[in-house]
Amino acid sequence: MARKFFVGGNFKMNGTQKDLKAIVDNLNNAQLDSNVEVVISPPALYLDFVKQNLNKSNIEVGAQNVFNKPNGAFTGEISASQLQDLGIKWTILGHSERRNELGESDEFVASKTKYALDNGISVIWCCGESKDTRQAGETIKFVENQLAALAKEISDWKNVVIAYEPIWAIGTGLVATKEQAQEVHAAIRAWLKQNVNDKVAEETRILYGGSVNAKNCKDLAKEADIDGFLVGGASLKPEFVDIINSNQ
């Protein structure tokens, strides 16, 4: 089964209505590869604004976070039912900025992922190692531990997209070589085959993230186990269109 190419845009804590309208207008007017699934994730304040201004059938709007509890006394959080109320079908979870800056553990991320999936929200689930972990030669082990925490919580993977994002490459301008990225992607797929099942290993899309741009995306997209990208800073720029079209 061919895996449909997937490109996510993580806008992070960037953009005003004016900025986001310009980004959306650029996407609306662009010729995009119709064989690519695209999800863009603006700040929560602007989810509905972006959704209302998009007119591309192959672009969905996703959140950057969702909590692992129903509506209630959880100041500052967003519930799955609130996302559903806006027609939001996707969320990013486990991004290293939340793991590291906000102290989200593997287990907490897994719990949030399970709750999102159980409540009809598909998940772009992020994993990846620090520079120290890579230099110590422990990248694969580290990512496998993150996967193991997730596998303890979920059994249905069909609405999970995995994003491998080496922390040392996020926003730094450093990019994993295509060989480095492919090695980890292949290891993730092998882990899924051994610890979940062949079907999940074959069908789960694994994205690369970490300073992806218009210059490096085409070479990365050629690798056998790279099924798309989760894009940070470049998703705010016109070159995001080139990244979406990189698999043509």
Side-chain angles (χ1 to χ4, degrees):
M1 174 181 172
R3 295 181 295 271
K4 188 171 187 178
F5 205 73
F6 187 109
V7 176
N10 180 10
F11 294 179
K12 306 189 180 183
M13 197 174 69
N14 291 301
T16 61
Q17 289 186 75
K18 180 181 178 182
D19 299 331
L20 296 172
K21 182 67 162 56
I23 292 168
V24 170
D25 286 348
N26 183 58
L27 291 172
N28 285 339
N29 294 324
Q31 293 293 321
L32 301 181
D33 185 345
S34 61
N35 295 314
V36 177
E37 187 171 1
V38 182
V39 176
I40 56 174
S41 297
L45 280 171
Y46 301 120
L47 284 168
D48 193 53
F49 175 80
V50 169
K51 191 172 189 299
Q52 295 301 325
N53 281 279
L54 264 177
N55 63 20
K56 289 284 192 182
S57 61
N58 66 325
I59 301 181
E60 289 279 356
V61 178
Q64 297 178 19
N65 184 42
V66 69
F67 201 48
N68 63 342
K69 301 284 195 305
N71 293 338
F74 304 105
T75 302
E77 291 295 340
I78 302 167
S79 72
S81 63
Q82 289 169 335
L83 294 182
Q84 287 181 321
D85 187 45
L86 289 181
I88 303 299
K89 301 174 183 176
W90 284 90
T91 188
I92 297 169
L93 289 173
H95 194 281
S96 63
E97 289 157 4
R98 294 193 64 87
R99 291 179 186 264
N100 296 336
E101 300 296 328
L102 298 173
E104 294 193 356
S105 66
D106 292 347
E107 292 74 21
F108 184 52
V109 171
S111 173
K112 293 205 297 184
T113 302
K114 173 177 169 52
Y115 192 83
L117 295 170
D118 288 349
N119 288 274
I121 306 295
S122 298
V123 175
I124 301 170
W125 177 86
C126 303
C127 60
E129 83 286 2
S130 68
K131 187 176 182 180
D132 288 346
T133 300
R134 174 161 283 276
Q135 290 178 336
E138 296 180 350
T139 293
I140 303 300
K141 180 182 177 182
F142 184 86
V143 171
E144 288 179 343
N145 286 340
Q146 291 179 312
L147 284 163
L150 180 61
K152 286 180 181 178
E153 290 285 345
I154 71 170
S155 56
D156 188 350
W157 293 70
K158 70 176 181 293
N159 293 316
V160 176
V161 172
I162 294 173
Y164 166 61
E165 296 197 301
I167 298 168
W168 49 271
I170 297 173
T172 63
L174 298 172
V175 185
T177 65
K178 61 182 182 179
E179 292 82 11
Q180 287 173 321
Q182 168 60 23
E183 178 189 23
V184 180
H185 282 230
I188 291 171
R189 206 172 301 286
W191 189 93
L192 292 172
K193 182 173 183 178
Q194 182 174 352
N195 295 278
V196 186
N197 59 56
D198 289 356
K199 186 173 189 292
V200 167
E202 177 60 31
E203 295 182 0
T204 299
R205 290 171 291 184
I206 307 173
L207 317 181
Y208 172 76
S211 297
V212 176
N213 58 46
K215 294 181 179 178
N216 58 39
C217 59
K218 281 190 173 293
D219 282 341
L220 287 162
K222 292 175 184 175
E223 296 298 316
D225 290 296
I226 296 179
D227 304 312
F229 304 108
L230 182 57
V231 186
S235 68
L236 304 169
K237 302 173 183 177
E239 69 181 289
F240 188 48
V241 170
D242 297 321
I243 299 171
I244 293 170
N245 292 334
S246 61
N247 198 44
Q248 287 180 320

